[in-house]
Amino acid sequence: MSLLTPEPGLLFWMLVSFGITVFVLAKFGFPSILKSVEKRKNYIEESLLAARKAHEELAGIKKTGEAVLAQARKEQADILKDASLKREMMIEKAREEARQESEKLIASARRQISAEKEEALRSIRSEAATLSLTLAERILREKLGTKEEQKKMIDRLFSEMDISRS
Amino acid sequence: MKRALFILAVLIFTTSPVYVWAGNQNSAIEDLNAKEFISEHLSDSYEWQIVSDGAKHITVPLSIILYSKTTGWHLFPSSHFQHGTAAYNGFKIASEGKYKGKIVETDARENISRPLDLSLTKNAASLLFASLLIILIIMGVARLLKRDSMKPRKGFAGMIEMLVLSINDEVIKPSIGKDHQRYAPYLLTVFFFIFTNNLLGLIPVFPGGANVTGNIAVTLVLAVATFLIINLTGTKEYYKEILWPDVPTWLKIPIPLMPIVEIVGTLTKPFALMIRLFANMMAGHSIVLGLTMLIFITASMGMAINVSMTFLSVIFTVFIDFVELLIAYIQAYVFTLLSAVFIGLARMESHSEKKKVIETGQVA
């Protein structure tokens, strides 16, 4: 069986070609390819890790941002509430003051009015007294201008006094 | 349906000229010996045949390198033999006898002897071509990757990279374990060497077609290389297991029964590698050739049989060629896998150490 007996010539050429191939590829070819692929694999792994980390960081930042926002919102609400409370208080106070002031004003006005009224009454009274005296004087002067009149008057007064005495 | 019809038409049109050719040469075909034809194509030759119609040959001449004990070194192209019909300088290609198909030397006393034959035969040339091809491809890819290793590769370079990675990550790493980086370049080279030669063997036209990996000399060198790698880098424990295995003493003394079994075992492993690759590739080539021969064998049996058998032959040949593509990969894969497994076995650590690791692991 010639198929099962190795030919020395072909053995020689196989040794040469396989030897050269193994030498070149095992020394320069495959280690280089494997190294490059390993490098790329590491790079990809690192990138993935970095991306995941960045993602997590971003999520953390988002969370803190939300917290800050919520706090700010709360503070804003507090401030607004406070402000409205204060405003109401101020308005209330102002109203109270205004009322007191007006009451004071009204009271003083009343007092003045009553004082002036009294004054007026008093002056009217004295005027009226003076006027009536003057009038009485005039009337008397008219009525008791003549001597008979004066005599009649005296008579009557006397009679009246008599009547009351008797 | 349209596609199937198209394929059918192509098959019929491409096979009919073969039939016409075969019919015209009826007389030449009758003395065609199928067995001879196949074994001739399976074995090595001194020239690389491109086309032959029985009488006319178109071949690529290859160099003949001979060393004769009487006349020294000889170097001449194989065209001097005129396709095996002529003698040159006392050398000729034997047409029969013990050295059939090989170059023999006839001396002055008509004694026939075989000179040291280092001729660049068809298989040798194919081997050199394949080696050149692999070196160019792998070095090209390596350079491409080195230039910009971060860029993912597409196309051919991507395919080579994927092959390298799949063999490295799924075959070499799990089989060898700890030291896989040391052996990966050799095993990858073996894989690509066998795979490329297998594929080239499937191409029926000029730069391919040689039955390289189906030749025992080629697989012998591959197996010896693996044998050397396994046994020269084996651990102390590996040698202890061979020479003084953990078996009852009467199996080792006075007759070293187990050591002999173990030593034979180290030889049978690469031997199985050698035979497996050789037999698979040779069988594949024989089947393709045999199915193709159907056309020419049935040429003398009448037109109807010949046409139908031609049709059948083409379909079967195409099918077997697809199977052969698969086998080209599988055989390269299996050779690499088994080499890696055997290397992994030779890299074993001592049992006591392993036990220690397990115990500490359990404690931890």
Side-chain angles (χ1 to χ4, degrees), chain A residues 7 9-10 13 17 21 40, chain B residues 102 114 117-119 149 161:
Chain A
E7 269 300 307
L10 193 58
W13 286 110
S17 53
T21 312
R40 189 167 67 207
Chain B
K102 305 273 186 266
R114 181 111 167 81
D117 185 0
L118 295 181
S119 304
S149 58
E161 193 198 300

Side-chain angles (χ1 to χ4, degrees), chain A residues 2-18 20-41 43, chain B residues 65 102 114 117-120 123-124 127-128 131 134 138-139 142 145 149-151 161 164-165 168 185 188-190 192-193 215-218 220-222 225 278 282:
Chain A
S2 69
L3 280 176
L4 281 174
T5 45
E7 269 300 307
L10 193 58
L11 271 179
F12 168 76
W13 286 110
M14 174 62 189
L15 265 176
V16 169
S17 53
F18 185 62
I20 291 172
T21 312
V22 166
F23 176 77
V24 172
L25 292 187
K27 199 155 169 115
F28 306 109
F30 287 113
S32 163
I33 289 182
L34 291 176
K35 219 167 76 190
S36 297
V37 168
E38 190 70 22
K39 217 166 104 190
R40 189 167 67 207
K41 214 165 90 184
Y43 172 73
Chain B
I65 304 163
K102 305 273 186 266
R114 181 111 167 81
D117 185 0
L118 295 181
S119 304
L120 194 70
N123 280 352
L127 269 174
L128 289 179
S131 304
I134 315 164
I138 298 299
M139 292 313 284
L145 277 177
S149 58
M150 295 315 162
K151 200 174 130 201
E161 193 198 300
V164 170
L165 280 189
N168 186 48
L188 283 168
T189 310
V190 165
F192 277 93
F193 191 86
N215 189 297
I216 197 98
V218 171
L220 176 70
V221 171
L222 287 169
F278 156 73
M282 203 193 64

Side-chain angles (χ1 to χ4, degrees), chain B residues 35-304:
Chain B
K35 197 180 148 209
E36 200 124 295
F37 179 84
I38 291 174
S39 67
E40 197 176 285
H41 271 79
L42 285 179
S43 55
D44 213 350
S45 66
Y46 289 101
E47 52 193 7
W48 207 326
Q49 183 176 299
I50 295 173
V51 163
S52 162
D53 70 349
K56 241 164 85 186
H57 304 274
I58 301 171
T59 57
V60 177
L62 300 164
S63 30
I64 303 287
I65 304 163
L66 297 169
Y67 178 76
S68 161
K69 273 172 205 149
T70 50
T71 52
W73 287 98
H74 293 270
L75 175 82
F76 54 92
S78 65
S79 51
H80 283 280
F81 287 129
Q82 319 227 323
H83 312 299
T85 52
Y88 180 79
N89 265 2
F91 298 107
K92 63 170 185 168
I93 298 175
S95 54
E96 55 198 356
K98 201 169 132 202
Y99 301 123
K100 188 174 176 243
K102 305 273 186 266
I103 291 175
V104 288
E105 186 181 15
T106 320
D107 64 8
R109 275 171 292 169
E110 293 292 314
N111 278 338
I112 288 174
S113 63
R114 181 111 167 81
L116 178 63
D117 185 0
L118 295 181
S119 304
L120 194 70
T121 57
K122 183 181 169 189
N123 280 352
S126 182
L127 269 174
L128 289 179
F129 175 72
S131 304
L132 194 71
L133 197 68
I134 315 164
I135 289 176
L136 283 180
I137 288 172
I138 298 299
M139 292 313 284
V141 172
R143 181 172 294 175
L144 209 65
L145 277 177
K146 209 172 189 176
R147 204 188 305 144
D148 184 5
S149 58
M150 295 315 162
K151 200 174 130 201
R153 293 291 152 198
K154 280 186 219 153
F156 187 72
M159 188 187 80
I160 297 292
E161 193 198 300
M162 187 211 77
L163 262 178
V164 170
L165 280 189
S166 73
I167 294 297
N168 186 48
D169 292 350
E170 277 150 41
V171 177
I172 297 170
K173 265 188 203 172
S175 306
I176 297 179
K178 213 171 60 190
D179 278 339
H180 67 87
Q181 269 145 337
R182 218 175 123 195
Y183 300 98
Y186 167 74
L187 290 169
L188 283 168
T189 310
V190 165
F191 174 80
F192 277 93
F193 191 86
I194 297 173
F195 191 43
T196 312
N197 276 309
N198 285 354
L199 286 182
L200 279 177
L202 288 181
I203 302 171
V205 289
F206 166 58
N211 181 26
V212 172
T213 37
N215 189 297
I216 197 98
V218 171
T219 58
L220 176 70
V221 171
L222 287 169
V224 167
T226 295
F227 174 80
L228 289 178
I229 296 255
I230 292 170
N231 290 288
L232 291 184
T233 62
T235 53
K236 228 190 261 169
E237 187 62 23
Y238 170 70
Y239 283 111
K240 196 198 148 261
E241 288 281 315
I242 289 174
L243 300 174
W244 199 253
D246 234 356
V247 290
T249 319
W250 57 270
L251 279 172
K252 298 182 272 194
I253 290 172
I255 309 159
L257 203 61
M258 283 311 286
I260 287 173
V261 169
E262 292 280 352
I263 288 167
V264 170
T266 62
L267 292 172
T268 52
K269 283 173 191 169
F271 186 77
L273 284 180
M274 171 179 88
I275 294 296
R276 181 181 298 110
L277 182 58
F278 156 73
N280 268 291
M281 295 325 290
M282 203 193 64
H285 279 256
S286 329
I287 292 170
V288 172
L289 285 169
L291 284 171
T292 314
M293 285 302 291
L294 270 183
I295 301 170
F296 306 106
I297 290 168
T298 54
S300 56
M301 295 180 186
M303 182 147 173

Side-chain angles (χ1 to χ4, degrees), chain B residues 311-343:
Chain B
F311 191 69
L312 215 65
S313 155
V314 169
I315 286 176
F316 277 148
T317 310
V318 168
F319 172 70
I320 288 296
D321 265 328
F322 276 119
V323 174
E324 278 298 297
L325 270 180
L326 200 65
I327 288 173
Y329 178 80
I330 290 173
Q331 286 308 316
Y333 180 87
V334 164
F335 196 100
T336 314
L337 174 71
L338 290 178
S339 297
V341 167
F342 296 152
I343 290 173

Side-chain angles (χ1 to χ4, degrees), chain A residues 112-128:
Chain A
Q112 216 169 336
I113 286 168
S114 70
E116 263 164 27
K117 201 169 85 186
E118 231 144 79
E119 185 73 43
L121 277 175
R122 208 178 296 134
S123 81
I124 286 170
R125 243 180 238 139
S126 73
E127 199 95 332

